[in-house]
Amino acid sequence: MAGDVDTWSLTAGLARKLTEEFGADAVIYADSIPQDFRTPSFYVRQISGGFTALRGRRYRLDAVVMLTYFPEDHANEEQKEILGVLSRLYPAVEYIAGEDGVPVRAESMSHEITDHELHMTLSYSLCVFRRYDRGAKMQVLHQIQHVKETGNGK
């Protein structure tokens, strides 16, 4: 159960998994793609998400992440390269380390190949326990107690 709301940790965890699988020289873009980007490369971005109250301070955090792979420019080999990368991606990104290193499993994974690019959609959900500041605690309580006497002497 994660400690607080941080959807960026899912994107960062996915980038770490890509680096583990494809090596330190894998090019991964997360914020934006520059005009003269290098290939082969990956682009990771969260495309949608949700935050649902469950009970008390527990919430469900949903995130849909789009992972795009841009292959090298080959004349006729792009499809072969994309399918080779795809066969490594499914097992690699099924579990990622979310916040605090807690493993998060993809609930659904799908892919589509368009315009010589691989677009993979991953859906992650995790339970979040929100922290809150309880404020200052009471210091010392002084209590004064009196016994009420009745008029009949009892």
Side-chain angles (χ1 to χ4, degrees), residues 10-80:
L10 293 175
T11 304
L14 191 55
R16 278 192 302 275
K17 281 298 246 186
L18 291 173
T19 302
E20 288 174 17
E21 181 65 29
F22 295 98
D25 52 333
V27 180
I28 302 167
Y29 301 106
D31 289 328
S32 63
I33 303 173
Q35 191 68 24
D36 55 344
F37 69 98
R38 294 179 13 210
T39 59
S41 61
F42 294 95
Y43 177 49
V44 182
R45 66 185 171 115
Q46 183 176 341
I47 57 174
S48 68
F51 194 65
T52 308
L54 297 177
R55 182 174 219 178
R57 293 184 290 157
R58 293 179 187 208
Y59 296 83
R60 178 184 167 114
L61 177 65
D62 298 309
V64 178
V65 179
M66 176 69 76
L67 172 63
T68 305
Y69 175 70
F70 303 100
E72 283 191 72
D73 293 328
H74 300 299
N76 296 321
E77 299 288 323
E78 290 173 341
Q79 185 76 8
K80 184 178 179 182

Side-chain angles (χ1 to χ4, degrees), residues 6-142:
D6 184 14
T7 56
W8 180 252
S9 67
L10 293 175
T11 304
L14 191 55
R16 278 192 302 275
K17 281 298 246 186
L18 291 173
T19 302
E20 288 174 17
E21 181 65 29
F22 295 98
D25 52 333
V27 180
I28 302 167
Y29 301 106
D31 289 328
S32 63
I33 303 173
Q35 191 68 24
D36 55 344
F37 69 98
R38 294 179 13 210
T39 59
S41 61
F42 294 95
Y43 177 49
V44 182
R45 66 185 171 115
Q46 183 176 341
I47 57 174
S48 68
F51 194 65
T52 308
L54 297 177
R55 182 174 219 178
R57 293 184 290 157
R58 293 179 187 208
Y59 296 83
R60 178 184 167 114
L61 177 65
D62 298 309
V64 178
V65 179
M66 176 69 76
L67 172 63
T68 305
Y69 175 70
F70 303 100
E72 283 191 72
D73 293 328
H74 300 299
N76 296 321
E77 299 288 323
E78 290 173 341
Q79 185 76 8
K80 184 178 179 182
E81 180 184 348
I82 288 173
L83 293 176
V85 168
L86 183 63
S87 67
R88 294 172 63 186
L89 275 176
Y90 272 114
V93 298
E94 181 179 7
Y95 287 95
I96 62 171
E99 195 172 348
D100 301 330
V102 176
V104 180
R105 184 178 187 195
E107 288 187 344
S108 67
M109 298 185 284
S110 63
H111 74 275
E112 182 177 301
I113 301 171
T114 57
D115 296 329
H116 307 289
E117 298 172 358
L118 170 65
H119 301 279
M120 189 172 196
T121 306
L122 308 158
S123 177
Y124 294 99
S125 291
L126 64 147
C127 196
V128 177
F129 189 75
R130 294 196 65 187
R131 298 180 191 108
Y132 67 92
D133 184 20
R134 294 181 184 257
K137 295 183 179 179
M138 190 182 318
Q139 298 298 319
V140 178
L141 175 66
H142 296 285

